[in-house]
Amino acid sequence: MPFEIWKQRICEEIRAYEQGKGAALYLQEKLDIVNDELYAIRGGHGDSEPVKGGTSRLEDKRCALLDKKAALEEDIKNNDRWRKVIAACLNELGEEERKILVGMCCAEYGDSTSKRLAAELAMDESNVRRQWHKALQHYRRIQSGNQTI
């Protein structure tokens, strides 16, 4: 695969990882709302008006909420698993390498991130870009399970 394509994929993945911290909280909040609605139904009285199929509206709503709860729990589990894999890959990198990789991948277009990182790490801007490319390659090797350098 050409360098530019996998570089783009890695950067998209790292950006999603950084933004995904909020997604995990959002999914948990949605699950809490569903659990509150389920609790309210359990505490309520069954409605006396059965609908098609012989079940009540509350029972139908409860079944729909249970399906939604199962889907949210699956999303949370998948999100956690994915985040653990990315975190493990990032933890394999050295501190400076990780800082450069995350900083450069999460930079906005036209941002002066390489200048900021160069000043922060006391190195030339060209060296930051060179280290970024090395970090990308190292991350890719870690991700593929081949950590030989």
Side-chain angles (χ1 to χ4, degrees):
M1 178 182 318
F3 175 75
E4 287 300 317
I5 293 173
W6 63 258
K7 178 178 83 171
Q8 182 180 2
R9 285 185 183 169
I10 289 172
C11 284
E12 287 171 0
E13 188 174 89
I14 290 173
R15 272 193 300 271
Y17 171 78
E18 289 295 315
Q19 295 167 354
K21 294 173 183 174
L25 295 174
Y26 173 77
L27 288 171
Q28 188 58 51
E29 287 172 6
K30 297 281 280 182
L31 183 61
D32 291 344
I33 290 168
V34 168
N35 283 330
D36 289 346
E37 290 178 12
L38 280 168
Y39 181 78
I41 287 175
R42 272 186 247 130
H45 302 288
D47 52 19
S48 59
E49 188 180 321
V51 293
K52 187 171 81 175
T55 60
S56 69
R57 282 188 292 259
L58 282 177
E59 184 62 24
D60 289 343
K61 184 174 182 179
R62 188 178 78 77
C63 289
L65 286 170
L66 287 172
D67 290 342
K68 189 174 183 179
K69 179 180 177 178
L72 282 169
E73 287 172 341
E74 185 67 24
D75 288 347
I76 288 170
K77 189 169 95 177
N78 289 336
N79 186 303
D80 286 346
R81 187 178 324 123
W82 176 79
R83 287 184 47 72
K84 285 177 184 174
V85 167
I86 302 301
C89 289
L90 288 172
N91 287 334
E92 289 289 321
L93 300 174
E95 186 179 337
E96 185 176 281
E97 205 174 18
R98 183 174 46 251
K99 187 176 206 165
I100 290 171
L101 182 65
V102 172
M104 293 296 283
C105 285
C106 293
E108 296 295 322
Y109 180 75
D111 193 354
S112 60
T113 304
S114 58
K115 287 180 185 174
R116 182 182 51 79
L117 285 170
E120 212 172 291
L121 299 169
M123 59 174 64
D124 293 335
E125 191 176 343
S126 61
N127 198 20
V128 168
R129 284 192 292 277
R130 202 171 14 263
Q131 293 298 324
W132 177 44
H133 288 279
K134 284 182 181 179
L136 282 166
Q137 291 169 344
H138 189 190
Y139 181 88
R140 185 179 184 203
R141 281 192 303 272
I142 291 168
Q143 209 176 32
S144 66
N146 180 11
Q147 295 184 30
T148 58
I149 296 176

